Amino acid sequence: MKAEKEIEISFIKKLQDLKYKYREDIRDKASLEANFREQFEKLNRVKLSDSEFVRLRDTIVTADVFAAAKILRETNTFKRDDDTPLQYTLVNIKDWCKNEFEVVNQLRINTDNSNHRYDVIILINGVPVVQIELKTLQITPKKAMEQIVNYKNDPGNGYTNSLLCFMQLFIVSNETNTYYFANNHTEHFCFNADERFLPIYEFADKDNKKITNLYEFTTNFLPKCTLGELISRYIVLVVSEQKLIIMRPYQIYAVKAIIDCINENRGNGYIWHTTGSGKTLTSFKTSTLLKDNPEIEKCLFVVDRKDLDRQTRLEFNKFQEGCVEENTNTENLVRRLTSDDYKDKVIVTTIQKLGLALDEDSKRNQEKKRKGQLTFKERLAKLQNKRIAIIFDECHRSQFGENHDAIKNFFPKAQLFGFTGTPIFEENSTYKQIDGTIGSYITTTDVFQQELHAYTITNAIDDGNVLRFHIDYFKPDDSQKAAKAGSTISKRKMAEAILSKHDASTYNRRYNAIFATASINDAIEYFDLFKELQEEFDKANQDFTPLNIACIFSPPAEGNKDVKQLQEDLSQEKADNQENPDKKKAALKAIINDYNKKYGTNHSINEFDLYYQDVQKRIKDQQYSNADYPHENKIDIVIVVDMLLTGFDSKYLNTLYVDKNLKQHGLIQAFSRTNRVLNPTKPYGNIIDFRGQEKEVNDAIKLFSGKENAEKVKEIWLVDPAPVVIEKLDKAVAALEKFMKSQGLECKPEEVSNLKGDTARAEFIDKFKEVQRLKTQLDQYTEIKEEQAAEIAGLLPEDTIRAFRGAYLETAERLKEQQGKEIEDRVPEVEQLDFEFVLFSSAIIDYDYIMSLLSKYTQPDVPKKEKMTKKELVDLIASTSNFMEERKDIEEYIEELDKYLKAFEGNKGLTEQEVMDGYKKFKTEKSANELVALSDKHGLEAQSLQVFVDAIMERKIFDGEKLSDLLEPLDLGWRDRTKKELELMDDLIPLLKKLAGGQEIVGLKAYE
């Protein structure tokens, strides 16, 4: 196997073949800066004095990643010694190919607090912009990523106080697998095992075939001009979040395809990029590049609804502040269209506003005629012969109507581009209208002539950019078969099924759901049914926690322009509102009143848009844990008819209940609400279908599988059925048993502590993690039959798997402490481990739940079978990663409660609040005692140590200078002080991490 050094030499040779200049003389900070100075002077045709260079360096070096990224891309000003201004750039920003590209290796940046060495760095004009970390084949690239994250979190690292602050891009590879990701501030740049993660990319060609071999990747990704173009054009600086985003390969190919089509004036075209693939970013980048094209007069980004207009504008302005203004009305839109101002070159608008401007018969245009004023259409005439680029978002929607034709006819020189996640082909171009007649959509190719780039749902699932689907085709029992479809009994059974399946499908309410119904009447009926059923469930079972169920459908329009516009894309609701509109209106008012009572809001049907926005916000609020944001503020299930089934995104929505006929693009759009990627506790999007639409699903897969074989694609789109996963679980348990036997141990949780050596412990981690992964998947399968449940329980009874989880977490904690430490006999298997603690988290066993169990534990009058023993409590706490930092504290507190119970026999027990208050007091006293013991051990003043710790916890930032101040009274020499610092930190780190309760303390990594 190749050593890391050999891979490094081969890689540098490959870069030299691409005409990079190898600078083996640059190995430290001084030589890096000397080279930068030389390149800077050459580029800016200037000679700096030594003092000027030092001032320049100190001006541009910044700990702010985002600020450095801006400096790199802009023309900047610097005051010289004689007070004259110098306009300078760090790179040739007009033509990135015309820069000096160099490569250095084994650069060591020695700073006050760190001594890191970097494998390979690419310099552009002496500025370090790309860092490549290489590993041998047996080491997963994820370890290299974690190493970079650790380096970045190290206080005083080179990324904050040297030219390394300009780093834009990191590449990691073990020769076979290569990944890349953008540099960022700490909050966007961490491997948080819970839910926030670093966006990591694999490179692919135009046909979406992955290129992961290091040398192929280098040939395709790192030619000088390609890299220059990526950094200058395709890394987007998101102003509102102060964040860098690298566009994905398919997004870049789409932008280039549109730009080429415009440059060569090759007519229209469409981009088929699946739902959830980041269409807004692609269209934003296209429009910004067109903004600088002098041949294009205007770039219009056209959406088909007011809410999408608002969403898109917010997104565009998030990428670049103030880049798109609001068009509050058609007059405003026309003013901006006819304006010569550069800031009015890119316009986001709705198709309806644009259609109104071009409609001579509209009320506003007729009024203008009467007053002898120019109509909107007449004012726009100056644009008729100008080249305009018009980009249609979700181009299969209402744009296929009259408005689209009016736009096309009025702007003959316009080039039209469409984005769609689900194109209209011949096969899905007809549809049954509400009145029973057959309507037809024009195909996407009819309107846009040619497909410019495709990235299908198959590609996205294959890349891990969206999740697969798990479909439970609900089979009714005999009593339901007897009931007619749509009858009350059948609906009641479905509502009962949803209530019984919801906890499993949403991972015990960690996620939430949409329920798609066939009509407004059905939605109303279901809403009332759920209310009635939940009251019954609540009376029958005191442990039942009611679900928060909301309902939304559009009201009768009655001349309201916003609602009319909204309903253009809601055909069922539009038709339903024609019949008994007053009844529908009254029902919606009652639903909104119910919502107001539940959430303490003040919405009304007259401002429906505000209600609609609030419902969307509460669905998205599911992202917050109940500890941070109580469950009563969120929505568990929202009942809909047409709304929210297209264009709505939330990572924490994982389930769609379906009592509505869906097919082709409508089916894909609805299903795609559930499959945003999050973490291993969300393995797929859950669909529970009450209409047996298996044929429709198979037809949709066939239609939207792109060039792939439909049967093969089905395996990519859909997860394995339950029997297959149970079989995999059986094999995983057998592999665990075989491994334990090979170690001379029985396959029992208590035997894990008897494993000899870290290699064996690492193997246990891998073996049991696979068991837990499969169990997490099966826990969310909603169609498990009784005999299958018995089979799963037989493989690993609940008590056994819980005890194994505890053994796993204890072993994992021990091994994680060793990772990355410079210790003798480092075990490669331990270095490679990825513990995935989130798999062992629980949505149920949270802080409040444990406190309620402890309260029950103290109650003398609660029957024994209804409360846990001390051992059961301890095992439960040990089995979830939620309490890794404070498990021992809770266990010790249980001992304290025991002493209390013995001392006060005949007591009435403690309330939950009393248990919580007692625990807080216990923790405060314990940490204070620990700090006193630490101060005694290290010869420090107890009060000073307490102040030092309090300051860290307040800001969640560890400051190395404050540590030096703390040790100042000891009056130690440099060497002794360093030794004392490390000894103190060894004792202090576990305490700080426990006090932080899982939150990150910036700068602590350096001492771990």
Side-chain angles (χ1 to χ4, degrees):
M1 192 174 290
K2 265 192 193 175
E4 221 172 272
K5 188 73 193 157
E6 288 177 82
I7 298 171
E8 194 175 297
I9 291 163
S10 305
F11 175 62
I12 291 170
K13 174 77 179 69
K14 187 77 183 168
L15 288 174
Q16 285 177 290
D17 293 344
L18 293 171
K19 301 291 181 279
Y20 282 79
K21 189 174 179 183
Y22 177 38
R23 296 292 302 270
E24 57 190 317
D25 55 318
I26 298 175
R27 286 284 162 92
D28 57 21
K29 195 175 178 183
S31 51
L32 182 73
E33 288 182 359
N35 178 55
F36 166 69
R37 179 176 180 174
E38 191 184 317
Q39 300 285 0
F40 179 90
E41 291 179 342
K42 194 162 75 176
L43 177 72
N44 293 285
R45 297 187 176 87
V46 69
K47 197 78 186 148
L48 298 176
S49 69
D50 290 348
S51 65
E52 282 175 333
F53 176 70
V54 169
R55 275 196 301 109
L56 171 77
R57 183 199 62 197
D58 293 348
T59 306
I60 63 173
V61 167
T62 169
D64 185 335
V65 177
F66 193 80
K70 283 181 77 177
I71 293 167
L72 185 69
R73 290 165 173 79
E74 291 174 354
T75 301
N76 308 285
T77 307
F78 169 70
K79 235 177 209 184
R80 303 199 63 180
D81 286 346
D82 61 1
D83 260 5
T84 57
L86 169 68
Q87 295 260 301
Y88 70 89
T89 60
L90 299 184
V91 291
N92 182 338
I93 48 182
K94 286 202 168 60
D95 190 345
W96 276 70
C97 294
K98 292 179 180 166
N99 286 298
E100 185 72 43
F101 289 77
E102 298 168 309
V103 57
V104 302
N105 68 322
Q106 296 304 312
L107 176 76
R108 193 182 277 278
I109 296 278
N110 296 325
T111 69
D112 296 342
N113 297 305
S114 63
N115 191 17
H116 297 153
R117 196 173 60 231
Y118 308 92
D119 287 354
V120 181
I121 290 177
I122 290 173
L123 311 176
I124 300 183
N125 290 358
V127 181
V129 288
V130 181
Q131 180 184 328
I132 302 98
E133 284 295 316
L134 302 166
K135 296 287 175 203
T136 53
L137 189 57
Q138 81 264 30
I139 299 210
T140 161
K142 190 157 186 195
K143 288 294 131 197
M145 295 174 203
E146 287 180 342
Q147 185 180 322
I148 290 166
V149 172
N150 290 344
Y151 275 11
K152 282 245 351 195
N153 289 336
D154 188 340
N157 65 57
Y159 302 105
T160 58
N161 55 19
S162 79
L163 290 168
L164 292 187
C165 70
F166 290 103
M167 201 62 72
Q168 300 295 289
L169 188 62
F170 296 101
I171 298 169
V172 297
S173 182
N174 63 0
E175 259 195 328
T176 305
N177 296 309
T178 304
Y179 302 89
Y180 61 99
F181 49 98
N183 192 4
N184 260 309
H185 285 307
T186 311
E187 61 269 32
H188 306 301
F189 196 86
C190 56
F191 284 98
N192 183 324
D194 196 11
E195 273 135 24
R196 285 161 293 284
F197 56 88
L198 200 56
I200 298 155
Y201 307 90
E202 285 180 292
F203 188 61
D205 65 15
K206 275 185 186 165
D207 297 321
N208 305 305
K209 181 178 172 290
K210 289 193 191 82
I211 298 171
T212 60
N213 171 279
L214 176 63
Y215 307 108
E216 273 185 74
F217 171 87
T218 304
T219 303
N220 288 277
F221 189 87
L222 291 175
K224 296 191 292 188
C225 273
T226 309
L227 179 64
E229 185 182 46
L230 176 83
I231 292 173
S232 63
R233 283 189 157 190
Y234 300 116
I235 291 183
V236 177
L237 275 57
V238 183
V239 180
S240 65
E241 295 173 38
Q242 297 283 291
K243 173 168 128 185
L244 277 66
I245 294 180
I246 304 182
M247 294 180 70
R248 296 179 183 276
Y250 60 84
Q251 293 175 312
I252 295 172
Y253 295 132
V255 171
K256 285 182 172 179
I258 294 175
I259 299 295
D260 289 349
C261 195
I262 285 172
N263 289 344
E264 294 159 22
N265 210 349
R266 278 191 289 111
N268 307 335
Y270 71 92
I271 303 291
W272 173 8
H273 279 189
T274 189
T275 308
S277 60
K279 229 170 35 270
T280 313
L281 178 57
T282 312
S283 42
F284 163 76
K285 179 45 72 175
T286 307
S287 62
T288 53
L289 291 178
L290 290 176
K291 200 170 184 176
D292 294 327
N293 183 337
E295 291 183 23
I296 297 295
E297 187 71 21
K298 294 280 173 186
C299 176
L300 266 68
F301 189 75
V302 181
V303 295
D304 76 333
R305 289 207 307 262
K306 185 183 172 185
D307 62 315
L308 287 174
D309 180 21
R310 181 178 56 241
Q311 258 171 266
T312 308
R313 255 187 312 98
L314 289 173
E315 286 284 317
F316 271 35
N317 287 328
K318 192 175 87 174
F319 298 137
Q320 189 181 318
E321 223 168 335
C323 74
V324 178
E325 282 185 15
E326 185 178 4
N327 314 302
T328 42
N329 52 39
T330 311
E331 170 62 47
N332 218 10
L333 171 66
V334 172
R335 179 191 60 72
R336 294 188 61 221
L337 277 167
T338 51
S339 154
D340 295 325
D341 195 328
Y342 179 73
K343 73 176 171 53
D344 289 325
K345 192 163 176 180
V346 173
I347 297 170
V348 177
T349 185
T350 64
I351 192 157
Q352 291 81 5
K353 275 196 195 116
L354 199 50
L356 274 173
L358 299 176
D359 180 7
E360 285 284 56
D361 300 326
S362 76
K363 209 161 85 179
R364 296 285 302 278
N365 274 334
Q366 289 296 330
E367 201 178 303
K368 285 181 184 296
K369 267 185 188 169
R370 273 199 310 275
K371 289 179 179 173
Q373 296 171 345
L374 288 176
T375 64
F376 292 139
K377 195 171 181 178
E378 286 164 341
R379 282 162 65 190
L380 291 173
K382 65 180 261 192
L383 290 173
Q384 274 196 286
N385 292 313
K386 299 282 175 68
R387 284 189 68 192
I388 293 176
I390 306 179
I391 300 169
F392 292 93
D393 177 42
E394 284 302 348
C395 62
H396 66 274
R397 291 196 193 152
S398 43
Q399 283 91 325
F400 279 74
E402 290 166 21
N403 282 336
H404 195 282
D405 290 336
I407 293 163
K408 214 162 66 168
N409 295 334
F410 188 77
F411 299 111
K413 289 197 172 176
Q415 281 180 271
L416 313 180
F417 299 97
F419 277 88
T420 179
T422 46
I424 303 296
F425 304 109
E426 289 294 337
E427 296 91 329
N428 62 321
S429 63
T430 59
Y431 63 96
K432 203 170 190 181
Q433 291 181 321
I434 304 300
D435 59 7
T437 59
I438 299 295
S440 70
Y441 296 111
I442 306 164
T443 68
T444 311
T445 310
D446 287 342
V447 179
F448 295 102
Q449 296 170 352
Q450 57 191 320
E451 180 191 288
L452 295 177
H453 191 257
Y455 183 77
T456 66
I457 192 167
T458 312
N459 302 132
I461 292 171
D462 216 18
D463 285 354
N465 286 334
V466 295
L467 299 171
R468 299 197 286 169
F469 298 109
H470 166 248
I471 307 176
D472 172 0
Y473 296 108
F474 182 71
K475 304 283 191 294
D477 59 27
D478 291 338
S479 66
Q480 284 165 274
K481 278 179 188 165
K484 288 176 188 167
S487 69
T488 309
I489 182 167
S490 153
K491 278 197 176 65
R492 187 180 176 88
K493 288 282 180 191
M494 286 182 213
E496 284 173 353
I498 288 171
L499 288 176
S500 67
K501 286 170 180 274
H502 186 79
D503 282 359
S505 70
T506 57
Y507 198 54
N508 294 310
R509 309 191 189 183
R510 185 66 194 97
Y511 303 108
N512 51 14
I514 287 177
F515 179 19
T517 61
S519 67
I520 289 179
N521 285 339
D522 280 4
I524 296 164
E525 195 176 337
Y526 272 119
F527 183 75
D528 293 338
L529 246 175
F530 277 120
K531 217 169 170 180
E532 187 186 312
L533 281 171
Q534 294 216 102
E535 281 170 16
E536 288 174 22
F537 277 39
D538 207 17
K539 279 177 192 162
N541 179 3
Q542 60 175 22
D543 290 333
F544 175 71
T545 306
L547 295 166
N548 294 336
I549 297 176
C551 178
I552 190 159
F553 51 83
S554 56
E558 296 175 340
N560 183 318
K561 279 192 290 191
D562 285 346
V563 173
K564 265 175 117 169
Q565 195 181 117
L566 192 64
Q567 285 181 348
E568 282 185 29
D569 205 35
L570 311 171
S571 53
Q572 184 67 50
E573 293 182 20
K574 191 177 178 181
D576 283 356
N577 273 312
Q578 307 295 318
E579 289 179 33
N580 292 329
D582 292 344
K583 196 176 166 191
K584 308 272 192 323
K585 200 171 172 181
L588 183 58
K589 276 183 180 173
I591 286 166
I592 293 174
N593 285 340
D594 194 270
Y595 185 94
N596 287 336
K597 263 186 227 159
K598 184 178 286 176
Y599 297 112
T601 49
N602 192 23
H603 296 298
S604 78
I605 200 166
N606 302 326
E607 290 183 309
F608 177 77
D609 196 41
L610 295 176
Y611 171 59
Y612 182 29
Q613 284 178 56
D614 195 49
V615 168
Q616 291 179 74
K617 181 191 166 293
R618 285 184 196 278
I619 298 170
K620 291 185 177 188
D621 284 343
Q622 191 72 17
Q623 65 186 293
Y624 307 114
S625 72
N626 290 340
D628 291 335
Y629 194 63
H631 172 253
E632 68 225 33
N633 298 311
K634 303 171 193 168
I635 290 174
D636 291 303
I637 301 173
V638 60
I639 303 168
V640 303
V641 183
D642 290 328
M643 295 179 93
L644 300 175
L645 295 181
T646 56
F648 176 73
D649 281 349
S650 170
K651 284 184 177 183
Y652 284 79
L653 196 151
N654 83 329
T655 298
L656 175 73
Y657 301 111
V658 184
D659 183 22
K660 173 188 179 83
N661 292 340
L662 292 169
K663 64 177 188 176
Q664 295 161 334
H665 50 278
L667 182 143
I668 300 295
Q669 287 277 358
F671 280 24
S672 295
R673 299 311 103 216
T674 66
N675 72 338
R676 294 295 172 274
V677 174
L678 186 63
N679 67 36
T681 67
K682 188 186 178 188
Y684 40 74
N686 248 324
I687 313 297
I688 297 167
D689 171 43
F690 294 104
R691 296 219 168 184
Q693 300 180 88
E694 195 164 356
K695 182 185 180 300
E696 286 75 9
V697 169
N698 291 338
D699 288 348
I701 289 175
K702 192 174 172 185
L703 186 61
F704 292 104
S705 55
K707 296 167 187 166
E708 304 285 341
N709 169 291
E711 275 312 303
K712 185 182 152 208
V713 165
K714 200 171 166 185
E715 288 173 25
I716 296 172
W717 282 40
L718 305 180
V719 298
D720 293 325
V724 175
V725 186
I726 293 169
E727 196 181 321
K728 284 182 181 175
L729 179 65
D730 190 0
K731 284 179 182 164
V733 171
L736 179 66
E737 285 170 352
K738 187 180 173 187
F739 160 70
M740 293 295 282
K741 206 172 278 182
S742 75
Q743 302 298 307
L745 301 168
E746 284 185 80
C747 190
K748 289 181 175 174
E750 59 270 26
E751 292 285 24
V752 174
S753 59
N754 294 322
L755 286 168
K756 298 283 185 290
D758 287 342
T759 304
R761 292 184 191 101
E763 197 169 342
F764 164 72
I765 291 291
D766 277 338
K767 292 276 188 287
F768 185 70
K769 189 171 68 178
E770 185 55 21
V771 170
Q772 178 63 27
R773 185 191 304 285
L774 293 163
K775 183 74 169 63
T776 302
Q777 279 187 35
L778 283 169
D779 284 347
Q780 292 176 53
Y781 272 45
T782 46
E783 74 279 30
I784 301 281
K785 297 182 174 67
E786 273 182 40
E787 60 271 23
Q788 289 172 326
E791 192 182 339
I792 295 164
L795 286 170
L796 272 179
E798 193 54 46
D799 286 353
T800 310
I801 198 165
R802 185 181 288 164
F804 262 123
R805 284 185 196 127
Y808 176 97
L809 290 169
E810 201 171 311
T811 310
E813 255 184 305
R814 179 175 169 180
L815 295 179
K816 187 159 178 60
E817 277 177 23
Q818 293 179 29
Q819 283 190 335
K821 283 193 176 171
E822 297 294 336
I823 51 175
E824 282 183 54
D825 307 324
R826 280 174 80 176
V827 179
E829 290 84 353
V830 171
E831 286 304 307
Q832 286 185 65
L833 285 175
D834 181 6
F835 300 101
E836 293 193 60
F837 288 122
V838 72
L839 269 174
F840 295 82
S841 64
S842 167
I844 293 180
I845 308 168
D846 59 10
Y847 184 78
D848 291 345
Y849 180 75
I850 291 295
M851 292 298 132
S852 73
L853 288 180
L854 292 180
S855 171
K856 249 184 199 173
Y857 179 68
T858 68
Q859 311 288 336
D861 50 353
V862 174
K864 267 191 177 173
K865 62 179 181 184
E866 284 182 29
K867 65 179 179 180
M868 288 187 167
T869 64
K870 183 158 73 175
K871 184 182 182 309
E872 284 170 336
L873 273 169
V874 168
D875 285 352
L876 181 72
I877 293 157
S879 71
T880 168
S881 59
N882 299 28
F883 302 104
M884 282 176 71
E885 301 296 343
E886 51 181 321
R887 187 177 70 219
K888 286 189 174 62
D889 281 353
I890 299 175
E891 287 171 12
E892 285 174 26
Y893 182 55
I894 294 171
E895 296 292 335
E896 291 280 313
L897 288 175
D898 263 356
K899 285 178 197 166
Y900 164 80
L901 294 174
K902 279 176 190 156
F904 299 97
E905 280 188 45
N907 77 88
K908 291 180 181 173
L910 298 170
T911 64
E912 272 182 55
Q913 192 55 53
E914 285 169 335
V915 169
M916 276 185 199
D917 293 344
Y919 180 56
K920 277 178 192 156
K921 188 180 170 203
F922 168 80
K923 275 206 305 184
T924 307
E925 286 173 1
K926 187 182 173 188
S927 65
N929 292 338
E930 284 175 359
L931 278 177
V932 168
L934 272 184
S935 59
D936 288 347
K937 180 180 173 182
H938 295 281
L940 297 167
E941 210 267 309
Q943 185 58 33
S944 302
L945 185 58
Q946 184 71 59
V947 169
F948 173 67
V949 168
D950 289 346
I952 293 168
M953 297 322 299
E954 190 181 334
R955 295 171 61 219
K956 299 291 182 295
I957 294 172
F958 185 87
D959 186 338
E961 283 182 26
K962 294 277 192 294
L963 179 62
S964 301
D965 295 346
L966 180 71
L967 297 174
E968 191 69 37
L970 300 181
D971 202 22
L972 300 168
W974 178 82
R975 196 179 296 277
D976 288 338
R977 197 188 71 211
T978 304
K979 186 168 177 270
K980 181 58 109 177
E981 272 187 17
L982 294 173
E983 285 171 357
L984 173 63
M985 289 310 294
D986 269 351
D987 289 340
L988 200 54
I989 283 169
L991 182 62
L992 290 172
K993 288 175 85 171
K994 192 165 71 178
L995 289 170
Q999 287 181 280
E1000 187 185 2
I1001 298 175
V1002 177
L1004 199 58
K1005 289 263 185 208
Y1007 293 92
E1008 287 190 62

